[in-house]
Amino acid sequence: MARRSRHRLLLLLLRYLVVALGYHKAYGFSAPKDQQVVTAIEYQEVILACKYPKKTISSRLEWKKLGRSVSFVYYQQALQGDFKERAEMIDFSIRIKNVTRNDAGKYRCEVSAPSEQGQNLEEDTVTLEVLVAPAVPSCEVPHSALSGTVVELRCQDKEGNPAPEYTWFKDGIRLVGNSKVGSQSTNSSYSMNTKSGTLQFNTVSKMDSGEYSCEARNSVGHRKCPGKRMQVDDLNISGIIAAVVVVALVISVCGLGVCYAQRKGYFSRRVVLHRKPLQ
């Protein structure tokens, strides 16, 4: 009896497993495929391929862009949104003629088709990465500086993808540092960080006066900001001494004036009020 019970239990388990697999095949999703990563340069074209094995008349296709909210790209046999004007369908794939940085993200194609067991749904995911050339970087260069002080020049671009590296120029000549230090290129007078775009003078001198410009560069392109002049002057010791002497003379004159006024009794005079006698 125990053997028969075990045998029946195994048969029931096998039947349940077969039914479950058949239901998954008929109505469930297919096993996920390896995700594709497609790279494109901005304003060029790109193809988002849907790797579905074959196309039939009864197949239904949908493309969606995933994110915080899911939006349709291709729905009910028509492209949606601004893709109507700059994209076209090639079988199950989408050809975007003029890709922009806003197109970057994750896309999913969903293909449903009837099968012997029912409606079968397959999907494929594509990640689109858009490479963007740098814009004209923002350059901060002080107009003037005092010799011997610390001065920092800044250069930044917020549009480039991948993030650009920065190079500084003085009077049109590229500033070259010590490549052994990596991203921190240094020499005797300045330190340059090619990642953050800073150019720092620990002790700036008159020899550092000139016109400075910065270039942002990545694998797509490069842009340069207009040159800005920085004038470095020595500290005017004689002028400072003269100013101190003038201030001292003014204070002395004011002090003598106060003493003279006190001696003359200008500060000790009192106003005497005369009262009229009562009648």
Side-chain angles (χ1 to χ4, degrees):
M1 293 293 293
R3 290 182 179 178
R4 289 181 181 179
S5 299
R6 292 177 182 175
H7 184 68
R8 289 178 181 178
L9 182 60
L10 288 173
L11 287 176
L12 288 173
L13 289 174
L14 287 173
R15 287 178 182 177
Y16 176 79
L17 183 60
V18 169
V19 171
L21 290 174
Y23 179 83
H24 180 271
K25 186 175 182 182
Y27 301 101
F29 294 98
S30 64
K33 303 175 183 178
D34 295 335
Q35 293 187 5
Q36 306 176 61
V37 178
V38 179
T39 303
I41 297 175
E42 189 174 32
Y43 307 127
Q44 297 187 8
E45 71 173 43
V46 66
I47 294 178
L48 305 181
C50 185
K51 295 182 178 179
Y52 188 71
K54 59 182 179 178
K55 182 177 181 181
T56 60
I57 300 175
S58 56
S59 299
R60 192 182 73 175
L61 171 68
E62 290 181 1
W63 271 94
K64 299 175 183 178
K65 185 178 181 182
L66 310 180
R68 293 182 180 178
S69 60
V70 178
S71 59
F72 280 103
V73 177
Y74 183 82
Y75 179 67
Q76 292 184 344
Q77 300 182 353
L79 289 162
Q80 305 295 312
D82 66 338
F83 288 100
K84 295 178 181 179
E85 306 297 330
R86 57 189 186 91
E88 64 179 1
M89 300 300 300
I90 304 176
D91 291 334
F92 286 161
S93 302
I94 299 179
R95 175 175 172 259
I96 304 176
K97 303 174 184 178
N98 188 21
V99 68
T100 68
R101 65 193 71 184
N102 296 326
D103 296 328
K106 186 174 290 186
Y107 294 79
R108 185 175 66 207
C109 72
E110 300 174 358
V111 181
S112 59
S115 64
E116 295 178 357
Q117 292 80 13
Q119 196 74 9
N120 187 38
L121 177 64
E122 293 198 22
E123 64 179 34
D124 195 13
T125 304
V126 183
T127 299
L128 174 60
E129 295 182 356
V130 180
L131 305 181
V132 182
V136 176
S138 172
C139 299
E140 297 180 14
V141 180
H143 296 291
S144 59
L146 289 177
S147 179
T149 60
V150 178
V151 178
E152 185 176 81
L153 285 62
R154 298 182 181 92
C155 180
Q156 188 178 23
D157 165 72
K158 296 181 179 180
E159 297 189 17
N161 182 39
E165 292 192 351
Y166 302 94
T167 304
W168 279 94
F169 295 80
K170 178 189 175 185
D171 298 328
I173 301 175
R174 180 178 180 178
L175 294 177
V176 180
N178 185 2
S179 60
K180 295 181 180 179
V181 189
S183 63
Q184 291 283 352
S185 301
T186 63
N187 70 2
S188 58
S189 63
Y190 66 83
S191 61
M192 181 170 55
N193 191 314
T194 60
K195 300 297 183 183
S196 65
T198 58
L199 176 64
Q200 181 173 304
F201 297 89
N202 293 323
T203 53
V204 71
S205 66
K206 292 187 69 175
M207 296 180 60
D208 296 319
S209 296
E211 186 179 82
Y212 288 84
S213 60
C214 172
E215 180 187 75
R217 177 185 294 268
N218 64 7
S219 58
V220 186
H222 57 90
R223 298 294 295 274
K224 196 174 184 180
C225 70
K228 297 181 180 180
R229 181 166 182 80
M230 180 179 71
Q231 181 63 40
V232 182
D233 296 316
D234 291 330
L235 193 61
N236 192 349
I237 302 298
S238 60
I240 294 175
I241 293 175
V244 170
V245 170
V246 170
V247 172
L249 288 174
V250 171
I251 294 174
S252 300
V253 170
C254 292
L256 290 173
V258 171
C259 293
Y260 179 78
Q262 286 181 344
R263 287 181 181 180
K264 291 294 183 180
Y266 292 124
F267 297 121
S268 60
R269 289 182 178 179
R270 296 180 180 178
V271 178
V272 179
L273 298 175
H274 297 280
R275 295 182 179 179
K276 292 182 178 181
L278 296 175
Q279 294 180 354

